[in-house]
Amino acid sequence: MLEHGGNLRDAALRFGRDDWLDLSTGINPRWYPAPPLPDNAWHRLPEADPELARAAQAYYNAPLMLPVAGTQAAIQALPRLRKPSRVAVTAPSYAEHAHHWSDHGHTLTQTPYAELDAAVAANDVVVIVNPNNPTGATVPAALLLEWADKLAARGGWLVVDEAFGDTSQDNSVAAHSDRPGLIVLRSVGKFFGLAGIRLGFVAAHADLLRGLADLLGPWTISGPAQHIASAALRDQQWQAATREQLDASGERLRKLLAAHGIASNGTPLFQWWSEARPEAFWQHMAERGIWVRLFKQAARGIRLGLPPDEAGWQRLQTALNEWTNQ
């Protein structure tokens, strides 16, 4: 399996400590407070709840949505719904896309964001992470819709992974996902901080959603996950307060890094920068119990998420001071 953030067991085994400040994931450290569960939540088979789909459609402003066991489930399944195709996946970006589109007979090209326009003309499927993970790069919604129309005209797909899109809903293309060939992935794990319930959504044309649902099979979302997510998606007061808090925290992180000579980009949930010595920075932080995401292949750099509290902010600042002064 590919390496991902949040692997604190690996951190503990390697560095031998249990007081980790985990900044490796980009997940909101102040998660949605789960409501009490119904008495039978663990007893009943988790048949699909139409209220969950309706709550998601209202929150994401999408005509139709299919709940899935995290967007990872859709990422693994979508390549199986097409005959062998020419596929371009943005690079660098979330590595699971390229990993799975490289199977099932597809011909994969990993494409820098600057070359996407040409990739649309040369491929059957184009996969774009927007905003990008890990760099925070974005493509305007109007341009995405233009590309989607070009691909759909010859039976192609534009897959847009908006897992980090909750803090920039105005750039989402989910509202247009009823048109053939446009597929949008959304996650409750990042903004709501609920990665552990393994729930995401796919917005697409009804025919594609039926095929995806048949492939994934029954009972894909647990009853407790459905109950918690329905509450989170409807809680507009929590959502508004959280966007305001994340905007402020994201700007605080950007300014903190800038004060130490680090010019970063990102979203309110994380910052990214190309680091000249990424392994050394990662090692420095790990030795102080701060777990950051190291990228050492095509994109050599560091991704840093938000501390959960003031003690975490102070701990990060102290580690950055020591890095700068060494």
Side-chain angles (χ1 to χ4, degrees):
M1 290 188 292
L2 300 178
E3 182 179 332
H4 296 285
N7 51 338
L8 288 183
R9 286 190 178 89
D10 292 343
L13 286 172
R14 180 161 183 174
F15 293 95
R17 57 191 303 161
D18 58 6
D19 59 339
W20 290 97
L21 173 61
D22 186 8
L23 307 182
S24 68
T25 66
I27 293 170
N28 184 356
R30 299 182 181 181
W31 56 86
Y32 182 77
L37 295 174
D39 291 341
N40 64 352
W42 299 108
H43 173 69
R44 289 182 52 83
L45 279 171
E47 57 187 313
D49 183 357
E51 289 302 315
L52 174 62
R54 282 193 281 269
Q57 287 157 206
Y59 173 73
Y60 295 115
N61 192 29
L64 288 173
M65 298 199 102
L66 175 69
V68 293
T71 51
Q72 182 66 29
I75 290 168
Q76 293 178 197
L78 286 172
R80 299 168 59 190
L81 291 178
R82 282 192 70 95
K83 64 183 181 181
S85 303
R86 298 164 298 168
V87 181
V89 175
T90 49
S93 66
Y94 183 58
E96 292 285 347
H97 289 289
H99 180 62
H100 291 285
W101 280 104
S102 65
D103 292 334
H104 311 291
H106 302 296
T107 302
L108 174 71
T109 303
Q110 297 197 53
T111 304
Y113 275 68
E115 299 174 15
L116 280 173
D117 196 54
V120 169
N123 289 276
D124 307 304
V125 177
V126 176
V127 182
I128 299 173
V129 182
N130 197 52
N132 186 37
N133 171 21
T135 68
T138 58
V139 179
L143 184 55
L144 291 173
L145 295 175
E146 179 184 321
W147 289 343
D149 288 344
K150 289 180 179 179
L151 287 160
R154 54 180 190 272
W157 289 355
L158 180 70
V159 181
V160 185
D161 182 345
E162 296 182 349
F164 281 97
D166 295 66
T167 55
S168 56
Q169 291 272 53
D170 56 339
N171 200 46
S172 172
V173 293
H176 306 276
S177 56
D178 54 346
R179 61 177 72 184
L182 177 60
I183 303 167
V184 181
L185 310 181
R186 300 298 301 245
S187 170
V188 301
K190 310 301 189 297
F191 173 75
F192 291 98
L194 295 174
I197 69 173
R198 304 310 306 139
L199 177 63
F201 297 91
V202 181
H205 189 273
D207 292 340
L208 187 140
L209 293 183
R210 277 192 290 268
L212 182 57
D214 287 345
L215 179 60
L216 294 174
W219 310 307
T220 57
I221 313 300
S222 74
Q226 294 187 53
H227 181 76
I228 294 166
S230 292
L233 292 167
R234 289 190 171 94
D235 194 337
Q236 296 182 6
Q237 182 176 357
W238 185 91
Q239 294 159 16
T242 297
R243 285 196 179 91
E244 183 176 345
Q245 180 265 317
L246 288 176
D247 284 343
S249 295
E251 182 63 9
R252 180 179 179 180
L253 180 58
R254 187 194 66 78
K255 288 181 176 178
L256 175 60
L257 295 171
H260 290 84
I262 298 173
S264 63
N265 300 292
T267 75
L269 283 165
F270 65 82
Q271 290 292 302
W272 151 271
W273 69 96
S274 296
E275 171 60 51
R277 297 182 293 153
E279 291 87 355
F281 185 92
W282 171 83
Q283 180 82 19
H284 172 88
M285 290 293 173
E287 289 172 350
R288 289 152 180 80
I290 301 175
W291 198 232
V292 305
R293 183 67 193 280
L294 167 66
F295 292 84
K296 53 186 177 181
Q297 301 298 328
R300 286 181 56 77
I302 298 290
R303 189 189 65 197
L304 199 65
L306 299 174
D309 51 31
E310 192 58 34
W313 283 103
Q314 295 305 315
R315 192 170 166 187
L316 174 60
Q317 181 166 332
T318 297
L320 287 169
N321 288 340
E322 293 170 350
W323 170 258
T324 302
N325 294 331
Q326 70 180 2

